[in-house]
Amino acid sequence: MSLDNDDDQPERNGAGSDLITGAISVAAILMFVGTGSSVLSKTLRHYLEGAAPADRTLVIALLLNVALILFGWRRHQGLSNEVRIRTAAEERAQMLASRDPLTGFLNRRSLAEEGAAMFVRGQKRRKAMAMLIIDLDHFKTINDMHGHAVGDALLRAAASEIAAAMPPIALTARLGGDEFACAFLFDPQQPDVIERIAEKLVAQMSQPFEAEGLRLHVSCSVGIARSDFDCQSVDSLMRSADIAMYVAKKSGRNRYAWFDHSMERELQTRNELENGLRTAIPRGEIVPYFEQQIDLQTGKLIGFEVLARWEHPTRGLISPELFIPIAEETGLISDMSIALMHHAFNAARDWDSSLTLSVNISPVQLRDAWLAQKIIKVLTETRFPASRLEVEITESSLFDNLSLAQSIVGSLKNQGVRLALDDFGTGYSSLAHLRALPFDRIKIDKSFVISLNESADSAAIVNAIVSLGESLNLPITAEGVEDEAIAARLKALGCAKAQGWHYGKPLSVSGARRLLAERRMLVQAPPVPTIESELPIERPGRMTG
């Protein structure tokens, strides 16, 4: 017998018991009516007229009938209570199956079911259906810092604000984690109603929340889709709103965005790039390009900055602006960067020993405690001198974990690697970071250099950074030098090094070799160094001044 049949057996037994009890009760009532009238009439005549008393057998039968009726009534009461309990349990089970226990909102499955019914109602009434996907910004940070109890309290408070912002007849659901969804019908001629709701929601969610005695700050990113714009089902409506939500989050968070089909095309392109990137790295399709770095005082070539380019087999050269963010989001940036260094160091081994290479380190990579050891390993394998390497890090990347960054930088500095603070002036520009890490150079962001001769503000910032470098004995590199006038101005200010298209576009490996061959700057590759004597491997955590 199957489990399903075993589960049905008690129900059949209970149903049979109920039928027997009902039959006994009906029989007892009929017997009571039949015997009761006879016994009652004889008993009254006995006491009033002195007639013979009722037959003893009939009296006993009457008493048994009364007992059976009482038994049936009690059984009826018990069964009624059992039905009520069972009904309540079924209702609770149904609620748990359809509702999120934390917020009381619908769960994903119930939203799909009730949303489908709303979708049909909207079509019949010539209404459109709006779907809002809401994701809390920075919720994970709060959950990690204060624990799940505080996180749950915050989710309940956020759910209350979401429900308050919605129209009276709206579906509200928690899809999981800190993601919510709301759906309601609206007049397709008045979409501004939805925008007012979204604006109110974003404004309310940006206000501080009280949770477990703490004052917490979050915001939300909202994606909006409407059923009358090529959304043929609730599923497609939710998917469209979800895409719009991620666009809102990527655009800076604390805002809402309407879905349009260009977002879907961009998402498809991004997915294609991500999938291609996963195979491009091991295939060696991510290759180094080299941007010249010039000594402004002498005009001499003194090094290159290594730039990543993707040589796609069918799409040609893909710009790093397209694939670097994807590599950072997916965690592929570390493997890509190490592979790029390996390629660049191998290519530069037989260059003139005066030439240096600068490589950019992503903020994501600075979270890896073994980053220094990975870079040192590449230097060892390619036999590229550590003294010719300059690592560039942005100031904003130091805010995640300054102590870890100090450890990584210390290990690299111990090997002779130099350190540059990249994009100076665009972030916090804190002098504390210049003291906390042993920088060898400051790089001025190209946004200030390009507009140096047109903007008084940019000129003032460049002047201030050059003066700061002089006072701290830190040479300055200017990025984005595009013409001779900018180069002359930087030279007059005392800037040490410059790079940009004024000196030529970034060169491939073969292009760089041709340039160096023309300038007689190719030499025999250096001998293999010993790891023990020249590049000792340190473990994370070692830090020297």
Side-chain angles (χ1 to χ4, degrees), residues 191-204:
D192 55 321
V193 172
I194 304 174
E195 293 193 350
R196 287 197 296 270
I197 292 172
E199 288 170 355
K200 178 182 177 182
L201 181 60
V202 170
Q204 288 296 110

Side-chain angles (χ1 to χ4, degrees), residues 327-338:
E328 290 181 329
E329 292 171 15
T330 56
L332 296 171
I333 188 68
S334 179
D335 290 342
M336 188 188 76
S337 180
I338 295 300

Side-chain angles (χ1 to χ4, degrees), residues 364-407:
V364 177
Q365 291 177 269
L366 278 178
R367 301 171 193 162
D368 180 5
W370 289 94
L371 175 62
Q373 285 62 46
K374 292 177 180 178
I375 295 175
I376 294 169
K377 183 174 183 289
V378 177
L379 290 169
T380 304
E381 292 173 347
T382 58
R383 296 173 284 177
F384 187 77
S387 59
R388 291 174 58 189
L389 175 62
E390 184 174 81
V391 169
E392 300 179 5
I393 60 176
T394 58
E395 187 173 17
S396 59
S397 65
L398 303 177
F399 285 85
D400 286 342
N401 193 333
L402 181 59
S403 60
L404 179 58
Q406 287 175 320
S407 173

Side-chain angles (χ1 to χ4, degrees), residues 65 165 172 177 197 343 430 534:
N65 285 340
T172 54
I197 292 172
H343 196 161
S430 170
E534 297 194 28

Side-chain angles (χ1 to χ4, degrees), residues 165-196:
M166 292 300 117
I169 303 177
L171 301 178
T172 54
R174 180 185 174 209
L175 303 181
D178 59 343
E179 191 174 20
F180 299 86
C182 302
F184 52 87
L185 300 179
F186 71 101
D187 186 343
Q189 303 302 319
Q190 297 179 332
D192 55 321
V193 172
I194 304 174
E195 293 193 350
R196 287 197 296 270

Side-chain angles (χ1 to χ4, degrees), residues 213-374:
L214 298 173
R215 192 175 177 85
L216 304 173
H217 292 267
V218 293
S219 58
C220 70
S221 301
V222 182
I224 311 172
R226 48 190 293 179
S227 62
D228 54 338
F229 281 10
D230 295 330
C231 289
Q232 303 301 321
S233 66
V234 171
D235 289 340
S236 63
L237 191 63
M238 288 182 65
R239 182 175 180 274
S240 298
D242 197 50
I243 292 172
M245 183 272 291
Y246 278 106
V247 170
K249 191 174 285 289
K250 188 177 179 180
S251 301
R253 307 171 190 256
N254 192 32
R255 65 193 66 207
Y256 68 87
W258 281 94
F259 170 79
D260 65 63
H261 289 287
S262 65
M263 296 177 181
E264 192 167 20
R265 290 191 294 270
E266 289 173 5
L267 179 63
Q268 183 177 0
T269 301
R270 185 200 178 282
N271 289 337
E272 291 174 355
L273 287 174
E274 179 182 337
N275 294 331
L277 192 59
R278 294 184 184 279
T279 57
I281 296 172
R283 288 177 180 173
E285 295 175 10
I286 309 299
V287 297
Y289 269 55
F290 301 92
E291 184 173 40
Q292 298 179 56
Q293 294 178 327
I294 305 297
D295 186 320
L296 274 173
Q297 303 306 315
T298 65
K300 181 181 177 183
L301 174 65
I302 57 176
F304 295 89
E305 180 176 352
V306 179
L307 307 175
R309 296 292 186 269
W310 183 356
E311 292 183 341
H312 196 278
T314 58
R315 298 179 57 176
L317 206 62
I318 298 179
S319 170
E321 284 76 14
L322 294 176
F323 67 86
I324 293 294
I326 296 174
E328 290 181 329
E329 292 171 15
T330 56
L332 296 171
I333 188 68
S334 179
D335 290 342
M336 188 188 76
S337 180
I338 295 300
L340 190 71
M341 286 187 219
H342 207 285
H343 196 161
F345 296 168
N346 265 328
R349 276 181 51 229
D350 62 347
W351 294 358
D352 190 287
S353 60
S354 65
L355 296 175
T356 61
L357 286 184
S358 299
V359 296
N360 288 281
I361 297 300
S362 164
V364 177
Q365 291 177 269
L366 278 178
R367 301 171 193 162
D368 180 5
W370 289 94
L371 175 62
Q373 285 62 46
K374 292 177 180 178

